[in-house]
Amino acid sequence: MGANNTPVIVAARRTPIGTAGHAFKDLTVDRLAAPVIAAVARDAGGRPVEDVVLGNCMGPGGNVARVSALAAGLGHEVPGVTVDRQCGSGLAAILVAGQAVRAGDMDLVIAGGAESASTAPLRTHRGAERPYDRAPFVPDGHPDPGMGPAAEALAAAREVTRQRQDAYACRSHAGALAARAAGRFEREIVPLGGRCDDQRPRPLQPASLARLPAAFVAGGTVTAGNSSPISDGAAAVAIVPERLRAGLPGMRLLAGAVAGCDPALPGWGPVPAVRRVLARTGVDVEHVAAVEIVEAFAAQVLAVTDALGLDPPDRVCVDGGALALGHPWGASGAVVVTRLFTRLVRQGAPPGTLGLAAAAVGGGLGVAALFEVV
C-alpha cells in the first residue's frame, strides 16, 4: 500500500481520571467516551470519521464504540467496533485502527478506550445466587490468578523489593503533581463533569507507604500504596494516513505487537511484546526517548523495565502513570498513547524522536507499539 498510507496519530485527548465510585460515579461509559471522541474529531480538522474503535472490558455491551460515536454527534453513518484485550484494550484498539489505515481501507479512524468501573453491570451465571467478580481469562486447567497475587508472584520471581516498589509509587505521584502544576496535562484533558484534573495524585511519603500492610499475600510486597486504583475514564486518538496528514504534527505508528506469556505471570507480557516490536523495526531500546507503560502495579513496571534495560527515572512515565492517575482498564492503553503524544508532539520533540507504549494484560498477554515524531 506504500508509505503514504503509514498511519499517523494527529490528535490525542483524554478525560480526567476518576477513582471508581467517586468523581464520575454516575457517568456511563458512553458519556465518558463521547466528549473525547468529539474533541479528537475537531482536533483532526473536521475530516469525515470513517470508524470508531474503542477498547472496553466491563461495560454493558451493545457495542460501546458505536453508542459512543452516536453520543459524540458523529452521525448515523459512522460505525463502531469494540475491542476487548482487557487492560490492553485501548492500545489494541489503536493498533486495529492503524492496520485499517495502513491497508488503505480508511482515511480517518478514531481509536482509544473507555471504562466506567462505577457503572459496569454486575454479571451472574444462570442459577447462581450472586454475581461473579470477573470472567475467567483462561480455560480450566490453566493458572488464572487475581491481578494482585499475580503482581506479587512476579515481584518474587524477578526479585523486585518492597522498597523499590514504594519508591516507584512515590515517584509516580510526584511526577503527576509536577506535571499538573506545570500545565502539561491541560492540552490533553477534556474537562468532564466540572473536573479539569485527575482525582487521585497526591503527595506520598516513603515512611507512610512503608507502614501499609501487604494487600494480597500475607507478608508480601504489593500494597494498596504501590498498586493502581480501579478507575473511570476515557482516551482517544485520531489516525490518518501520511498522505492526508496535511502538515499536522503527529506520531507515526511504526509497528505494534501483541504477545502471549505464562498466564501465571501476566505482568510479564510487555517484555515479549516490546522485544517483538523492536526486532521488527530494528530499533535498539537505547534509542527510544520516551516510554509510557500502564502502571498497574509498581512491581510489574519494575520487573518489565529491568528486563528491557529501561531506567525508569530517565524515560518511563516521567509525568506519573496509572499508579498516580488511576487505571480505567479499557482506557489505560489509550491513555499512555495520549501521554506520549503530549510528551513528544505537544512538547516539541524533533522529528524522528521515538516513543514506546506498552501494557500488560490479564491472562498472560502484552501489547506494545512504537511511534516516531513527524
PDB file of all heavy atoms in Angstrom, residues 4 8-10 44 47 240-252 374:
ATOM      1  N   ASN A   4       2.792   6.105   1.877  1.00  0.00           N
ATOM      2  CA  ASN A   4       1.848   7.209   2.034  1.00  0.00           C
ATOM      3  C   ASN A   4       0.632   6.822   2.863  1.00  0.00           C
ATOM      4  O   ASN A   4      -0.152   7.673   3.259  1.00  0.00           O
ATOM      5  CB  ASN A   4       1.414   7.753   0.668  1.00  0.00           C
ATOM      6  CG  ASN A   4       0.695   6.719  -0.176  1.00  0.00           C
ATOM      7  OD1 ASN A   4       0.747   5.520   0.091  1.00  0.00           O
ATOM      8  ND2 ASN A   4       0.022   7.192  -1.207  1.00  0.00           N
ATOM      9  N   VAL A   8      -0.659   7.750  11.071  1.00  0.00           N
ATOM     10  CA  VAL A   8      -0.111   8.826  11.889  1.00  0.00           C
ATOM     11  C   VAL A   8      -1.187   9.308  12.854  1.00  0.00           C
ATOM     12  O   VAL A   8      -2.317   9.602  12.442  1.00  0.00           O
ATOM     13  CB  VAL A   8       0.373  10.010  11.030  1.00  0.00           C
ATOM     14  CG1 VAL A   8       0.967  11.101  11.914  1.00  0.00           C
ATOM     15  CG2 VAL A   8       1.389   9.557   9.992  1.00  0.00           C
ATOM     16  N   ILE A   9      -0.846   9.379  14.118  1.00  0.00           N
ATOM     17  CA  ILE A   9      -1.743   9.963  15.117  1.00  0.00           C
ATOM     18  C   ILE A   9      -1.563  11.478  15.083  1.00  0.00           C
ATOM     19  O   ILE A   9      -0.457  11.985  15.302  1.00  0.00           O
ATOM     20  CB  ILE A   9      -1.445   9.413  16.515  1.00  0.00           C
ATOM     21  CG1 ILE A   9      -1.811   7.922  16.580  1.00  0.00           C
ATOM     22  CG2 ILE A   9      -2.202  10.196  17.584  1.00  0.00           C
ATOM     23  CD1 ILE A   9      -1.437   7.247  17.880  1.00  0.00           C
ATOM     24  N   VAL A  10      -2.653  12.198  14.798  1.00  0.00           N
ATOM     25  CA  VAL A  10      -2.575  13.652  14.671  1.00  0.00           C
ATOM     26  C   VAL A  10      -3.338  14.374  15.787  1.00  0.00           C
ATOM     27  O   VAL A  10      -3.325  15.614  15.829  1.00  0.00           O
ATOM     28  CB  VAL A  10      -3.094  14.119  13.300  1.00  0.00           C
ATOM     29  CG1 VAL A  10      -2.177  13.626  12.190  1.00  0.00           C
ATOM     30  CG2 VAL A  10      -4.530  13.679  13.062  1.00  0.00           C
ATOM     31  N   ALA A  44      -8.708  16.901  14.605  1.00  0.00           N
ATOM     32  CA  ALA A  44      -8.230  16.330  13.348  1.00  0.00           C
ATOM     33  C   ALA A  44      -8.620  17.164  12.139  1.00  0.00           C
ATOM     34  O   ALA A  44      -8.285  16.808  10.997  1.00  0.00           O
ATOM     35  CB  ALA A  44      -8.740  14.901  13.196  1.00  0.00           C
ATOM     36  N   ARG A  47     -12.283  16.405   9.049  1.00  0.00           N
ATOM     37  CA  ARG A  47     -12.411  15.381   8.015  1.00  0.00           C
ATOM     38  C   ARG A  47     -13.433  14.333   8.469  1.00  0.00           C
ATOM     39  O   ARG A  47     -13.509  14.017   9.660  1.00  0.00           O
ATOM     40  CB  ARG A  47     -11.054  14.732   7.770  1.00  0.00           C
ATOM     41  CG  ARG A  47     -11.056  13.644   6.700  1.00  0.00           C
ATOM     42  CD  ARG A  47      -9.668  13.043   6.533  1.00  0.00           C
ATOM     43  NE  ARG A  47      -8.730  14.053   6.084  1.00  0.00           N
ATOM     44  CZ  ARG A  47      -8.569  14.392   4.819  1.00  0.00           C
ATOM     45  NH1 ARG A  47      -9.296  13.805   3.879  1.00  0.00           N
ATOM     46  NH2 ARG A  47      -7.696  15.311   4.469  1.00  0.00           N
ATOM     47  N   VAL A 240      -4.726   9.072  10.795  1.00  0.00           N
ATOM     48  CA  VAL A 240      -4.883   9.317   9.363  1.00  0.00           C
ATOM     49  C   VAL A 240      -3.663   8.734   8.646  1.00  0.00           C
ATOM     50  O   VAL A 240      -2.619   8.522   9.252  1.00  0.00           O
ATOM     51  CB  VAL A 240      -5.001  10.823   9.039  1.00  0.00           C
ATOM     52  CG1 VAL A 240      -6.188  11.443   9.745  1.00  0.00           C
ATOM     53  CG2 VAL A 240      -3.715  11.557   9.384  1.00  0.00           C
ATOM     54  N   PRO A 241      -3.772   8.476   7.320  1.00  0.00           N
ATOM     55  CA  PRO A 241      -2.576   8.077   6.573  1.00  0.00           C
ATOM     56  C   PRO A 241      -1.655   9.262   6.352  1.00  0.00           C
ATOM     57  O   PRO A 241      -2.099  10.424   6.290  1.00  0.00           O
ATOM     58  CB  PRO A 241      -3.154   7.556   5.259  1.00  0.00           C
ATOM     59  CG  PRO A 241      -4.457   8.254   5.107  1.00  0.00           C
ATOM     60  CD  PRO A 241      -4.982   8.473   6.491  1.00  0.00           C
ATOM     61  N   GLU A 242      -0.392   8.983   6.211  1.00  0.00           N
ATOM     62  CA  GLU A 242       0.601  10.037   5.994  1.00  0.00           C
ATOM     63  C   GLU A 242       0.203  10.954   4.836  1.00  0.00           C
ATOM     64  O   GLU A 242       0.383  12.171   4.907  1.00  0.00           O
ATOM     65  CB  GLU A 242       1.974   9.409   5.725  1.00  0.00           C
ATOM     66  CG  GLU A 242       3.066  10.393   5.347  1.00  0.00           C
ATOM     67  CD  GLU A 242       3.402  11.380   6.450  1.00  0.00           C
ATOM     68  OE1 GLU A 242       3.439  10.964   7.616  1.00  0.00           O
ATOM     69  OE2 GLU A 242       3.611  12.575   6.129  1.00  0.00           O
ATOM     70  N   ARG A 243      -0.376  10.399   3.770  1.00  0.00           N
ATOM     71  CA  ARG A 243      -0.705  11.196   2.592  1.00  0.00           C
ATOM     72  C   ARG A 243      -1.762  12.258   2.878  1.00  0.00           C
ATOM     73  O   ARG A 243      -1.929  13.217   2.103  1.00  0.00           O
ATOM     74  CB  ARG A 243      -1.159  10.288   1.443  1.00  0.00           C
ATOM     75  CG  ARG A 243      -2.393   9.472   1.763  1.00  0.00           C
ATOM     76  CD  ARG A 243      -2.742   8.486   0.642  1.00  0.00           C
ATOM     77  NE  ARG A 243      -3.715   7.503   1.089  1.00  0.00           N
ATOM     78  CZ  ARG A 243      -5.023   7.736   1.180  1.00  0.00           C
ATOM     79  NH1 ARG A 243      -5.506   8.913   0.826  1.00  0.00           N
ATOM     80  NH2 ARG A 243      -5.838   6.784   1.597  1.00  0.00           N
ATOM     81  N   LEU A 244      -2.520  12.109   3.968  1.00  0.00           N
ATOM     82  CA  LEU A 244      -3.565  13.066   4.314  1.00  0.00           C
ATOM     83  C   LEU A 244      -3.234  13.869   5.573  1.00  0.00           C
ATOM     84  O   LEU A 244      -4.090  14.583   6.089  1.00  0.00           O
ATOM     85  CB  LEU A 244      -4.908  12.348   4.495  1.00  0.00           C
ATOM     86  CG  LEU A 244      -5.481  11.663   3.247  1.00  0.00           C
ATOM     87  CD1 LEU A 244      -6.773  10.940   3.586  1.00  0.00           C
ATOM     88  CD2 LEU A 244      -5.718  12.671   2.129  1.00  0.00           C
ATOM     89  N   ARG A 245      -2.018  13.760   6.051  1.00  0.00           N
ATOM     90  CA  ARG A 245      -1.654  14.444   7.301  1.00  0.00           C
ATOM     91  C   ARG A 245      -1.701  15.961   7.143  1.00  0.00           C
ATOM     92  O   ARG A 245      -1.969  16.694   8.101  1.00  0.00           O
ATOM     93  CB  ARG A 245      -0.265  13.990   7.737  1.00  0.00           C
ATOM     94  CG  ARG A 245       0.196  14.603   9.054  1.00  0.00           C
ATOM     95  CD  ARG A 245       1.374  13.833   9.614  1.00  0.00           C
ATOM     96  NE  ARG A 245       2.541  13.879   8.751  1.00  0.00           N
ATOM     97  CZ  ARG A 245       3.474  14.830   8.797  1.00  0.00           C
ATOM     98  NH1 ARG A 245       3.360  15.826   9.663  1.00  0.00           N
ATOM     99  NH2 ARG A 245       4.523  14.787   7.990  1.00  0.00           N
ATOM    100  N   ALA A 246      -1.439  16.448   5.958  1.00  0.00           N
ATOM    101  CA  ALA A 246      -1.583  17.876   5.630  1.00  0.00           C
ATOM    102  C   ALA A 246      -0.796  18.784   6.572  1.00  0.00           C
ATOM    103  O   ALA A 246      -1.266  19.841   6.994  1.00  0.00           O
ATOM    104  CB  ALA A 246      -3.067  18.276   5.641  1.00  0.00           C
ATOM    105  N   GLY A 247       0.404  18.343   6.911  1.00  0.00           N
ATOM    106  CA  GLY A 247       1.273  19.182   7.716  1.00  0.00           C
ATOM    107  C   GLY A 247       1.011  19.158   9.204  1.00  0.00           C
ATOM    108  O   GLY A 247       1.741  19.805   9.972  1.00  0.00           O
ATOM    109  N   LEU A 248      -0.009  18.449   9.653  1.00  0.00           N
ATOM    110  CA  LEU A 248      -0.271  18.371  11.086  1.00  0.00           C
ATOM    111  C   LEU A 248       0.873  17.619  11.774  1.00  0.00           C
ATOM    112  O   LEU A 248       1.318  16.581  11.283  1.00  0.00           O
ATOM    113  CB  LEU A 248      -1.588  17.639  11.358  1.00  0.00           C
ATOM    114  CG  LEU A 248      -2.887  18.374  11.033  1.00  0.00           C
ATOM    115  CD1 LEU A 248      -4.070  17.431  11.231  1.00  0.00           C
ATOM    116  CD2 LEU A 248      -3.043  19.605  11.916  1.00  0.00           C
ATOM    117  N   PRO A 249       1.353  18.109  12.890  1.00  0.00           N
ATOM    118  CA  PRO A 249       2.355  17.341  13.640  1.00  0.00           C
ATOM    119  C   PRO A 249       1.716  16.090  14.222  1.00  0.00           C
ATOM    120  O   PRO A 249       0.502  16.056  14.474  1.00  0.00           O
ATOM    121  CB  PRO A 249       2.795  18.306  14.742  1.00  0.00           C
ATOM    122  CG  PRO A 249       1.631  19.220  14.930  1.00  0.00           C
ATOM    123  CD  PRO A 249       0.987  19.361  13.575  1.00  0.00           C
ATOM    124  N   GLY A 250       2.520  15.069  14.424  1.00  0.00           N
ATOM    125  CA  GLY A 250       1.938  13.841  14.953  1.00  0.00           C
ATOM    126  C   GLY A 250       2.980  12.786  15.237  1.00  0.00           C
ATOM    127  O   GLY A 250       4.190  13.043  15.234  1.00  0.00           O
ATOM    128  N   MET A 251       2.474  11.568  15.485  1.00  0.00           N
ATOM    129  CA  MET A 251       3.327  10.410  15.747  1.00  0.00           C
ATOM    130  C   MET A 251       2.994   9.314  14.745  1.00  0.00           C
ATOM    131  O   MET A 251       1.853   8.849  14.675  1.00  0.00           O
ATOM    132  CB  MET A 251       3.101   9.851  17.163  1.00  0.00           C
ATOM    133  CG  MET A 251       3.383  10.802  18.289  1.00  0.00           C
ATOM    134  SD  MET A 251       3.412   9.979  19.923  1.00  0.00           S
ATOM    135  CE  MET A 251       1.841   9.112  19.943  1.00  0.00           C
ATOM    136  N   ARG A 252       4.000   8.935  13.969  1.00  0.00           N
ATOM    137  CA  ARG A 252       3.852   7.833  13.021  1.00  0.00           C
ATOM    138  C   ARG A 252       3.895   6.500  13.776  1.00  0.00           C
ATOM    139  O   ARG A 252       4.769   6.277  14.618  1.00  0.00           O
ATOM    140  CB  ARG A 252       4.977   7.911  11.999  1.00  0.00           C
ATOM    141  CG  ARG A 252       4.954   6.811  10.937  1.00  0.00           C
ATOM    142  CD  ARG A 252       6.148   6.980  10.008  1.00  0.00           C
ATOM    143  NE  ARG A 252       6.061   8.188   9.211  1.00  0.00           N
ATOM    144  CZ  ARG A 252       7.046   9.063   9.068  1.00  0.00           C
ATOM    145  NH1 ARG A 252       8.200   8.883   9.686  1.00  0.00           N
ATOM    146  NH2 ARG A 252       6.891  10.113   8.295  1.00  0.00           N
ATOM    147  N   VAL A 374       6.673  13.037  13.712  1.00  0.00           N
ATOM    148  CA  VAL A 374       6.740  13.584  12.351  1.00  0.00           C
ATOM    149  C   VAL A 374       6.296  15.035  12.365  1.00  0.00           C
ATOM    150  O   VAL A 374       5.614  15.484  13.286  1.00  0.00           O
ATOM    151  CB  VAL A 374       5.874  12.790  11.377  1.00  0.00           C
ATOM    152  CG1 VAL A 374       6.430  11.397  11.163  1.00  0.00           C
ATOM    153  CG2 VAL A 374       4.416  12.718  11.836  1.00  0.00           C
TER     154      VAL A 374
END
